[in-house]
């Protein structure tokens, strides 16, 4: 996936993107701001439960809107 904050998030103070599998962190981004994006590739071998989380870590929750673009799950077996 490609992660980042939506263009309308210019008024926010950034957010962290977290991928959890079976209750444990598999990935956590650095704090991303509206002009930044990052590519995510997470090994989820054996994971049965998946959570995609946006952690605002700040006060401007109403301004930061996270996007998970082109995300897909791929079986490797």
């Amino acid at each position: 996936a490609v992660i980042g904050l939506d263009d309308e998030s210019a008024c926010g103070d950034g957010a962290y993107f977290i991928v959890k599998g079976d209750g444990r962190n598999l990935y956590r981004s650095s704090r991303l701001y509206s002009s930044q994006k990052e590519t995510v590739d997470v090994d989820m071998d054996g994971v049965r439960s998946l959570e995609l989380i946006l952690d605002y870590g700040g006060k401007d929750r109403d301004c930061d809107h996270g996007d998970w673009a082109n995300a897909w799950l791929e079986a490797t077996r």
Side-chain angles (χ1 to χ4, degrees):
V2 177
I3 57 172
L5 295 177
D6 198 276
D7 291 343
E8 66 185 17
S9 299
C11 64
D13 56 358
Y16 301 93
F17 289 74
I18 301 168
V19 177
K20 280 191 174 189
D22 296 333
R24 61 186 172 89
N25 281 2
L26 302 176
Y27 172 83
R28 181 181 176 95
S29 73
S30 57
R31 183 184 291 270
L32 296 180
Y33 299 92
S34 63
S35 62
Q36 298 173 307
K37 66 181 178 182
E38 211 170 278
T39 301
V40 179
D41 187 2
V42 179
D43 180 9
M44 297 185 304
D45 190 37
V47 171
R48 298 178 55 95
S49 174
L50 177 66
E51 294 177 78
L52 302 178
I53 300 167
L54 190 62
D55 177 4
Y56 302 98
K59 301 176 201 165
D60 264 335
R61 179 182 194 128
D62 293 331
C63 284
D64 294 320
H65 305 138
D67 294 330
W68 301 78
N70 299 323
W72 76 91
L73 300 175
E74 183 176 313
T76 57
R77 294 184 201 179

